[in-house]
Amino acid sequence: MSEFSPSPAARSDDEWRELLSPEQYRVLRQAGTERPFGPTYREFQEQGAGTYVCAGCGVSLFSSREKFDSHCGWPSFYDPANAQNVIAREDRSHGAVRTEVLCANCGGHLGHVFAGEGFNTPTDQRYCINGVALKFVPAA
Ligand code: FE
């Protein structure tokens, strides 16, 4: 059994490859995007009350309270549950200016956040998050 770095931010690429599934590695560590309307999205739609933690390091990121159905094919939230655990930064890849969302604890790529799309939510922000980057912890 290998010894992993105690601090997620210090983990090597090899450690991440061992810890994550290939799809999780592609999304979290290589800023990939899962295909929309995939199996994790269907699971997301069926999940009830609970917390969404980072699939890379386990910190709490989002909650079912801020979840909404944007019909975009990826899990959507209008706010993080724990703002200090989520970082946003400008992303100029793929010929567009977007705001990337990352886990503040392990640096994993989660998805993007879009604003002002006209959703009837308290923030009109859409945190468009890859389902494989999240682990659902049902409320006790
Ligand atoms: Fe993380």
Side-chain angles (χ1 to χ4, degrees):
M1 190 69 191
S2 21
E3 298 276 324
F4 292 110
S5 305
S7 160
R11 276 178 198 150
S12 70
D13 202 50
D14 284 347
E15 287 179 312
W16 283 120
R17 279 185 195 274
E18 204 174 322
L19 279 164
L20 302 172
S21 73
E23 176 72 346
Q24 285 175 325
Y25 179 84
R26 190 179 72 80
V27 169
L28 283 162
R29 307 313 307 176
Q30 298 184 308
T33 301
E34 69 191 8
R35 69 180 174 87
F37 301 102
T40 61
Y41 183 64
R42 286 194 294 277
E43 285 169 25
F44 175 78
Q45 288 179 303
E46 287 160 13
Q47 285 152 352
T51 304
Y52 292 88
V53 304
C54 177
C57 72
V59 296
S60 156
L61 300 172
F62 296 97
S63 121
S64 58
R65 283 189 301 274
E66 289 86 28
K67 157 181 172 173
F68 74 103
D69 196 355
S70 69
H71 305 282
C72 73
W74 293 279
S76 300
F77 303 88
Y78 62 77
D79 233 358
N82 284 290
Q84 74 274 17
N85 290 343
V86 176
I87 309 175
R89 75 173 178 205
E90 190 179 90
D91 170 17
R92 289 183 170 268
S93 66
H94 304 290
V97 182
R98 293 178 297 169
T99 304
E100 181 184 12
V101 179
L102 303 108
C103 171
N105 190 47
C106 72
H109 170 85
L110 304 172
H112 289 87
V113 58
F114 303 91
E117 296 175 311
F119 287 107
N120 186 23
T121 62
T123 65
D124 197 11
Q125 288 194 310
R126 175 170 61 96
Y127 284 81
C128 181
I129 305 298
N130 290 281
V132 293
L134 301 173
K135 215 172 89 182
F136 178 63
V137 181

